[in-house]
Every structure is written in C-alpha cells, then in structure tokens.
Amino acid sequence: MKSLTVKVILLCFLILSCTKNKLLHKNDYTLEDKLKFTNSILKFYVEDSLVCNHLSNQLDWTPFKKALYSEEGLLLKKYASDMKKEDIESQMSSFIISEKYNEFFSNYKLFKEDVESQSDSILNLQSNLYYTTLPVFTDDGNFAFVGFSLVSSLLSGYGEIIIFERKDNRWSEVERKQIWIH
C-alpha cells in the first residue's frame, strides 16, 4: 500500500513539474509586459526623452489598423499568417495612461487629449508629441507590431508600424511600414 501511495505522489509531482515547465514557455503577455515593451520602444526611438518630449496619454491602434490589414502592406500575411484576425483584434485596444501606469513613462510629459486644448497645445509645443500603441504579439510570441507616430510643433510628422522579431530573448526591428507623412 505504501508503495502505491509513493507512486501516486511521485506521479503527481511529475505531472505538476511538467505543467509548470509548459507554462513557463507559454507566451501570455500581461499589460505590464506590454507597457514595458512600449517604454523600451520610446526610449530607443525618441531622442532626448529625458528632457522635452510629450507622450499622448492615449495608446490607440485605430489610426494603424487599416495599414496593418491592407493588401499592399501584407504585414499580417508575412509575419502572422496563421493568426486569426479576432486574436489580433483582441490585442488592439485603446488604452489611457492614467496615474497608475505613468511609472512606465516617467521621462515624458503626458499630453491629455481633450478636444478644447488639443490644437493649441500642439501648436505651442516646442518639442515633439508622440503617439504609440501597446504591442500586438503573434501567437508564437516571436513577432510584435507597434504603431508609432510623431507630430512636431509645426504640425509635420509621420506614422508607421514597426515590426520586431524576438531571437534569443532579444527584440530587434525587422521592418517599418510608413502609413502617413505630413
């Protein structure tokens, strides 16, 4: 009887350890992971981020969706051919950076998006205003899509989707798709 009990306990430990190992390799990305990723993108792509740049407090995929899905872009076919549109859509959401999340973007002055002051604020900026998105990850976790836009004080700027690939747990840029320029 003791032998059977020991075998059952060992089998439970074996199953539990296999489950834990499997979970470690699963690519679930939490909101915190996405905010850290977005912060690292800004640090890399934004010049002089410690001093004078403004970040929109709304991280929103709306202006980038058309380009991501467009036939000429073929970004999803190229990097996420097996991924369902619903899975990608579920990751694309508007997100307002509140005081709770501002810790991730402490080097930036947040630009609050209210209609009354938006145009005056943009016109009066002597630095740049950045719009970004939280990343969208492919099912295998090897590619990430980020929408990124820059508007300067003269209302000129550009918007693009940046694609990153993960190799050996490091992310590197593999492609940019420009979607607008002014």
Side-chain angles (χ1 to χ4, degrees), residues 4-179:
L4 180 63
T5 306
V6 169
K7 286 180 181 177
V8 168
I9 291 172
L10 286 174
L11 182 62
C12 289
F13 279 123
L14 179 64
I15 291 171
L16 184 62
S17 68
C18 289
T19 305
K20 282 185 177 178
N21 286 338
K22 193 173 184 179
L23 290 175
L24 289 175
H25 297 293
K26 191 176 179 201
N27 291 311
D28 278 340
Y29 292 96
T30 65
L31 176 60
E32 185 172 319
D33 294 328
K34 289 189 170 206
L35 288 166
K36 285 179 182 175
F37 193 101
T38 303
N39 190 9
S40 63
I41 298 303
L42 285 166
K43 283 182 179 175
F44 188 78
Y45 288 96
V46 177
E47 294 180 335
D48 203 16
S49 62
L50 292 173
V51 181
C52 65
N53 290 311
H54 295 70
L55 174 66
S56 167
N57 72 327
Q58 184 169 345
L59 309 182
D60 186 8
W61 262 104
T62 305
F64 303 97
K65 281 184 181 181
K66 187 176 178 184
L68 192 63
Y69 292 133
S70 72
E71 281 301 312
E72 69 262 6
L74 300 177
L75 294 176
L76 292 179
K77 285 185 182 178
K78 187 173 183 180
Y79 297 105
S81 58
D82 298 337
M83 207 166 166
K84 295 178 182 164
K85 188 174 178 180
E86 301 85 47
D87 296 337
I88 292 169
E89 285 283 341
S90 70
Q91 293 189 59
M92 292 179 175
S93 59
S94 294
F95 181 77
I96 302 292
I97 304 171
S98 65
E99 295 304 318
K100 179 181 177 183
Y101 304 111
N102 196 27
E103 67 190 74
F104 293 98
F105 307 102
S106 57
N107 293 338
Y108 304 92
K109 179 181 174 188
L110 288 179
F111 177 78
K112 305 292 184 194
E113 299 210 37
D114 65 62
V115 177
E116 192 174 303
S117 65
Q118 185 174 358
S119 59
D120 288 340
S121 297
I122 291 175
L123 288 168
N124 292 330
L125 288 179
Q126 293 187 5
S127 57
N128 297 319
L129 175 62
Y130 298 94
Y131 292 84
T132 186
T133 67
L134 295 177
V136 168
F137 295 101
T138 55
D139 285 339
D140 61 9
N142 291 327
F143 292 96
F145 303 91
V146 176
F148 182 80
S149 291
L150 162 67
V151 178
S152 76
S153 58
L154 299 175
L155 293 180
S156 62
Y158 64 91
E160 60 191 0
I161 294 175
I162 309 172
I163 299 93
F164 296 89
E165 183 177 17
R166 184 172 65 179
K167 287 185 181 172
D168 301 324
N169 262 352
R170 297 182 66 116
W171 290 98
S172 58
E173 179 187 323
V174 292
E175 186 175 346
R176 287 180 182 216
K177 173 72 176 169
Q178 192 169 65
I179 57 174

